[in-house]
Amino acid sequence: MESSKSFEEKFMRICEVAQTDKDAVLAKILDIKAPSVAAARKRQQIPTGWVEKIALKFDVSADWIFFGRGPMRISDLVAQENLEKRASEKTGGEQAATLVEQLGSKLERELALEREERRELAAETRRLYREKEQLLREKEELLRENGSLREKLARLEAEHGRQNLGQDEGEVPPLFDEQRAILPSSRVEERIHK
């Protein structure tokens, strides 16, 4: 059983919505007989069906009828929710704008870093290319020098061979070893002076 205070508050809210305090008018609105309203008052208990009918018929909040919480009209509740939603969206929109701005700043920093790295890599690539060109020139120079030295060595071997033929019938010692590597200069001079 409801407390008398609770019953009276609910009943007053129902009468306020129905805009009547007469049992007969309330019974007609609820589509029930007038003695049913009197019996509910006597028992001090409001049937749940009444709250549902009043809420649907007058577009009011059942929560407001039962507990007196929130706005009375559903349309007021919707309006309040819309206001809260708009405020939330505005706040959310501001937060989104801030996040977009932060993301944009972060992307700009990353892009600047990538551009700097690309410039550094391009400079390094140019430096390595110049070094490669220099090494290729040095290699060509060394190959020409090697060819020149081979020619000189061949002339020296030929001269050495002619000198040895006149002195000794023996074998001419080569100025190259088995693998055609140039012998150390001290050994070449030794053989030439023999």
Side-chain angles (χ1 to χ4, degrees), residues 20-21 40 78 86 94:
T20 187
D21 60 351
V78 170
R86 277 190 222 124
E94 290 170 358

Side-chain angles (χ1 to χ4, degrees), residues 118-167:
R118 192 178 327 135
R119 279 192 291 272
E120 289 172 4
L121 287 173
E124 181 70 10
T125 300
R126 286 191 297 274
R127 186 187 64 76
L128 289 173
Y129 184 76
R130 284 191 299 269
E131 283 182 15
K132 177 185 170 191
E133 291 296 316
Q134 180 64 32
L135 288 173
L136 287 174
R137 284 191 294 273
E138 288 175 7
K139 178 182 174 186
E140 288 175 10
E141 191 177 308
L142 287 173
L143 286 173
R144 280 194 298 275
E145 190 178 321
N146 188 20
S148 173
L149 288 173
R150 284 180 183 268
E151 287 175 11
K152 285 180 184 178
L153 184 61
R155 280 194 305 269
L156 286 173
E157 280 183 341
E159 285 177 21
H160 180 68
R162 275 184 266 159
Q163 288 174 359
N164 279 344
L165 282 178
Q167 295 175 5

Side-chain angles (χ1 to χ4, degrees), residues 36-174:
S36 298
V37 175
R41 274 187 196 227
K42 187 176 183 183
R43 286 191 315 272
Q44 292 202 341
Q45 197 170 21
I46 296 174
T48 310
W50 289 14
V51 175
E52 290 175 16
K53 281 183 183 177
I54 294 290
L56 290 172
K57 194 167 200 167
F58 292 98
D59 192 34
V60 294
S61 165
D63 202 37
W64 180 81
I65 294 170
F66 270 117
F67 308 107
R69 291 190 298 221
M72 177 174 88
R73 303 245 174 248
I74 298 285
S75 55
D76 294 342
L77 182 61
V78 170
Q80 181 181 345
E81 287 174 354
N82 285 339
L83 283 174
E84 289 172 2
K85 184 178 177 185
R86 277 190 222 124
S88 172
E89 286 172 354
K90 184 178 179 184
T91 304
E94 290 170 358
Q95 289 173 348
T98 302
L99 288 174
V100 166
E101 188 176 309
Q102 289 171 351
L103 182 60
S105 296
K106 180 181 177 189
L107 290 174
E108 285 175 6
R109 286 190 303 273
E110 288 177 2
L111 182 61
L113 286 173
E114 282 188 32
R115 285 179 179 158
E116 183 62 30
E117 287 176 4
R118 192 178 327 135
R119 279 192 291 272
E120 289 172 4
L121 287 173
E124 181 70 10
T125 300
R126 286 191 297 274
R127 186 187 64 76
L128 289 173
Y129 184 76
R130 284 191 299 269
E131 283 182 15
K132 177 185 170 191
E133 291 296 316
Q134 180 64 32
L135 288 173
L136 287 174
R137 284 191 294 273
E138 288 175 7
K139 178 182 174 186
E140 288 175 10
E141 191 177 308
L142 287 173
L143 286 173
R144 280 194 298 275
E145 190 178 321
N146 188 20
S148 173
L149 288 173
R150 284 180 183 268
E151 287 175 11
K152 285 180 184 178
L153 184 61
R155 280 194 305 269
L156 286 173
E157 280 183 341
E159 285 177 21
H160 180 68
R162 275 184 266 159
Q163 288 174 359
N164 279 344
L165 282 178
Q167 295 175 5
D168 191 4
E169 295 289 324
E171 206 176 290
V172 178

Side-chain angles (χ1 to χ4, degrees), residues 168-191:
D168 191 4
E169 295 289 324
E171 206 176 290
V172 178
L175 295 174
F176 279 103
D177 69 3
E178 301 286 323
Q179 297 158 345
R180 301 292 293 163
I182 299 175
L183 292 173
S185 59
S186 60
R187 289 188 58 201
V188 171
E189 288 175 14
E190 223 178 79
R191 288 188 178 181

